[in-house]
Amino acid sequence: MAIIGGGVAGLALAAELAELDGRMVERSGGTRPERRIVLLERENQYAYHSTGRSIATLSETLGSPEQRALTRASRTILDALGAESGTPLLRTRPVVWVADEDNVGALNALLTASPALRAADSAAARTLCPALRPEITARAAVERTAQDVDVEALHQQYRDRAAAAGATLRTAIGLESGTWDDARAEWTLTTDRGELVTQRVVNAAGPWADAVAARLEVPPAGLANLRRTVAIATAEGVGPAWPLVIDVAGRYYFRPERGGLLVSPADETPSPPTDAVAAPQDISVAIERVNAATSLRLDRVRTSWAGLRTFAPDRNPIVGPDPKQAGFFWFAGLGGTGIQTTPALARLAAAQLLGEAYEIPGLDPAALLPR
Ligand SMILES: Cc1cc2nc3c(=O)[nH]c(=O)nc-3n(C[C@H](O)[C@H](O)[C@H](O)COP(=O)(O)OP(=O)(O)OC[C@H]3O[C@@H](n4cnc5c(N)ncnc54)[C@H](O)[C@@H]3O)c2cc1C
């Protein structure tokens, strides 16, 4: 089995697959041959693209009902992984959604859809983040159980576990093309470092997932890559325990980060798959909007970056076998919730690939199948 892509999706899947395979071999008393699992990452390092650029939030109020179910299941897995390794992967940081007068309706709708949210008045929101201007918080909602994820520790754990369970992980090797042999039911993959024969390819190439499909002559899933910009501004008087504040109208979000303030204009600019770079205009918009929403006077940016969030047309992840091409499995379209949903998604995908049952409460896996 060859996994293409060494972001959080590919790494988590390599670990879950190798461990599940090991358990299945053990159960069979060693009569079942172990599978060879190889992960190929084109960059010189893992998690260089979307995974390394997220803002690392776990919130049950983000995304579709499917993504929320995946997030709840992932939280349980992340808690257990942290406890097993002795390195906690989650740290509490509430999320506060804010609405000005014009957007109270949107906030009410979010409250109705999200059991994890509690309504809050302006004073309560400003107790959590005193810099918020009163007129920005005509109505607010708080998710007290939201958390920050230690993304670096997470993908390091997945790498260690994958390697310990026998998977081979390789960097600086890119998939270029491949041909499927129907009679032998196997792929011959051509990479920039030679050929590889495998029975199954898993497409975990993030923003390049449609490009990877095209290289193997598999029809695309219609994924769209949307650029998102983040900057860290120098700021006085920011409390390290402040929440992540999100404008319900989707114009900005901010939270403390290493003594400064992480800000984003919540932009969604269509982009080809590429090494995304922050545009100065998008950084200025983020600073202006956060200054307008708070009493802070941000004017200096310490660092900035941009990353791509990859969406299927229905904005749900795509996980499952390709409906037409044998030996081709999708694990893509993780959108803006790939960190917080991957732990459960990787278990689901591993079980599907190895023919085992795996249930996630509140999720019908059919909703994620490629069409
Ligand atoms: C600014 C920003 C903020 C975000 N905030 C959050 C958040 O708070 N919470 C959350 O849950 N999610 C968040 N996300 C989303 C999350 O980061 C992504 O959903 C997730 O990282 C996607 O992981 P991935 O492994 O699918 O993609 P990637 O991390 O991009 O990995 C794909 C890999 O495939 C490799 N590849 C591509 N083509 C080839 C090839 N031909 N051969 C070999 N390798 C190849 C690439 O080099 C890349 O490393 C955010 C994203 C951004 C950009």
Side-chain angles (χ1 to χ4, degrees), residues 173-197:
I173 173 166
L175 173 76
E176 293 193 332
S177 61
T179 48
W180 171 254
D181 183 328
D182 236 347
R184 300 170 76 96
E186 63 186 27
W187 291 97
T188 301
L189 303 181
T190 304
T191 74
D192 49 9
R193 309 264 294 271
E195 282 196 347
L196 181 87
V197 173

Side-chain angles (χ1 to χ4, degrees), residues 255-293:
R255 70 155 159 79
E257 174 76 20
R258 287 176 273 142
L261 199 73
L262 178 154
V263 298
S264 171
D267 46 336
E268 294 202 332
T269 310
S271 167
T274 186
D275 190 353
V277 176
Q281 166 70 10
D282 292 329
I283 300 170
S284 305
V285 168
I287 298 288
E288 268 166 35
R289 290 179 181 171
V290 174
N291 278 340

Side-chain angles (χ1 to χ4, degrees), residues 189-344:
L189 303 181
T190 304
T191 74
D192 49 9
R193 309 264 294 271
E195 282 196 347
L196 181 87
V197 173
T198 181
Q199 287 171 337
R200 261 193 287 185
V201 170
V202 181
N203 185 1
W208 288 266
D210 267 350
V212 160
R215 286 172 187 272
L216 302 191
E217 294 177 22
V218 175
L223 297 168
N225 295 309
L226 303 178
R227 192 177 69 227
R228 166 97 8 134
T229 307
V230 179
I232 299 178
T234 304
E236 297 292 321
V238 172
W242 281 7
L244 170 66
V245 175
I246 309 180
D247 172 36
V248 78
R251 291 168 294 199
Y252 62 84
Y253 54 75
F254 66 87
R255 70 155 159 79
E257 174 76 20
R258 287 176 273 142
L261 199 73
L262 178 154
V263 298
S264 171
D267 46 336
E268 294 202 332
T269 310
S271 167
T274 186
D275 190 353
V277 176
Q281 166 70 10
D282 292 329
I283 300 170
S284 305
V285 168
I287 298 288
E288 268 166 35
R289 290 179 181 171
V290 174
N291 278 340
T294 65
S295 55
L296 299 167
R297 293 203 183 97
L298 309 177
D299 60 3
R300 261 189 314 130
V301 167
R302 223 190 268 163
T303 184
S304 61
W305 67 89
L308 300 179
R309 299 149 80 239
T310 303
F311 293 94
D314 68 358
R315 289 211 160 207
N316 261 338
I318 300 185
V319 176
D322 188 83
K324 294 210 175 100
Q325 174 62 62
F328 192 90
F329 190 96
W330 291 84
F331 190 170
L334 302 187
T337 57
I339 307 295
Q340 63 178 40
T341 55
T342 283

